[in-house]
Amino acid sequence: MTPTDASAGPDVTVRPAVPGDVGALAAVHLRARRAAPMPEPAHPDSTLAPFLATRIGADQVWVAEAGERVLGYARHTSTWLDDLYVDPSAARQGVGSLLLDVVKDRLADGFCLWVFASNTPARAFYARHGLLELEETDGSANEEHAPDVRMAWPGRDPLRFLRGLVDEVDEELGDLLARRAALTRAIQPLKTDPTRDPAREREVAERVARRAPRLGTDRLVPVMDAIITASLDAAAED
């Protein structure tokens, strides 16, 4: 995502995209991406326009234009801002700010987005507009395999929005804990030595810490100990 900043001129308007916009949107997208500190796209340029054609109607897509010239666009779902691109020739004219305001108005309860960690101008833009950086990943889950940052606009009730994200994580955590307990139960009959292995358990904490560096190994050692203990206790009850 490569937005711009400042006050948009009076000639700039925003409207919903129509199928005939696809070519112009793809051209803006590609020019903006090439001008930004972002990794190379995972897909050929030729695939972008057909993809955007499938999203108009499925997602909300907004076009910023001056006269008949497309300056930028934003694409979002009910919970995520997936695209916000501004043509480099329209940089620092407030087009990105205008598009972001439209998305905020449409998603007043909050939304998330991903931005590449290397794209510091975009990160600074979003921070200036009140978005929060929630987490940074190593990029293993995105197609470019480049570190990225999850950001969020917390909306009109930030506490409620962020607690909603916590609830989603807790549900995922519950699924993972259930899977781990099941695997622990399956392993027990295969072990020749029933005693626990502190060295291996610390290795487990170190692996988890690589995915959660802000917590660190020392904080995660007792957490993993509690999880392993609970899983073993549950297995013993079967």
Side-chain angles (χ1 to χ4, degrees), residues 26 33 35 39 53 56 73 81-82 103 105 109 125 155-156 182 185 198:
R33 181 154 184 159
I56 294 178
Y73 79 95
L81 173 57
D82 289 321
V103 178
D105 184 62
D109 289 328
F125 166 85
R156 53 192 167 193
R185 183 174 64 251

Side-chain angles (χ1 to χ4, degrees), residues 6-224:
S7 298
D11 295 334
V12 178
T13 59
V14 175
R15 60 167 174 80
V18 297
D21 293 320
V22 166
L25 300 188
V28 165
H29 181 122
L30 293 172
R31 285 195 293 268
R33 181 154 184 159
R34 292 191 187 102
M38 299 167 68
E40 286 296 313
H43 302 284
D45 291 355
S46 59
T47 64
L48 179 59
F51 169 75
L52 290 175
T54 68
R55 304 322 304 162
I56 294 178
D59 300 333
Q60 294 291 311
V61 185
W62 302 93
V63 178
E65 62 184 1
E68 297 183 356
R69 179 186 169 213
V70 172
L71 304 178
Y73 79 95
R75 178 173 65 88
H76 67 83
T77 67
S78 61
T79 54
W80 286 87
L81 173 57
D82 289 321
D83 288 345
L84 201 168
Y85 288 97
V86 173
D87 195 289
S89 65
R92 293 175 294 280
Q93 296 177 26
V95 178
S97 298
L98 183 61
L99 286 166
L100 185 59
D101 284 344
V102 170
V103 178
K104 286 181 177 180
D105 184 62
R106 299 286 296 185
L107 304 180
D109 289 328
F111 59 87
C112 291
L113 61 90
W114 288 102
V115 59
F116 288 110
S118 61
N119 197 355
T120 52
R123 293 170 66 178
F125 166 85
Y126 289 122
R128 286 195 300 274
H129 286 77
L131 277 73
L132 309 174
E133 291 198 355
L134 299 182
E135 60 179 300
E136 186 167 350
T137 82
D138 62 3
S140 58
N142 65 50
E143 293 182 316
E144 291 82 359
H145 300 294
D148 54 6
V149 180
R150 184 182 188 182
M151 301 189 72
W153 164 247
R156 53 192 167 193
D157 189 344
L159 183 59
R160 179 179 179 183
F161 174 78
L162 294 172
R163 280 180 170 168
L165 296 183
V166 170
D167 290 343
E168 292 177 9
V169 171
D170 287 344
E171 290 182 4
E172 295 172 5
L173 181 59
D175 291 340
L176 292 173
L177 290 174
R179 287 167 56 190
R180 201 187 199 291
L183 289 168
T184 298
R185 183 174 64 251
I187 287 171
Q188 298 319 298
L190 306 177
K191 292 172 63 176
T192 57
D193 183 355
T195 60
R196 292 173 63 169
D197 184 346
R200 172 174 166 73
E201 291 182 12
R202 183 169 182 87
E203 289 176 4
V204 171
E206 290 171 350
R207 289 201 304 272
V208 175
R210 287 196 287 272
R211 304 299 295 268
R214 289 193 178 184
L215 294 178
T217 300
D218 290 341
R219 290 191 182 94
L220 287 168
V221 164
V223 173
M224 297 312 302

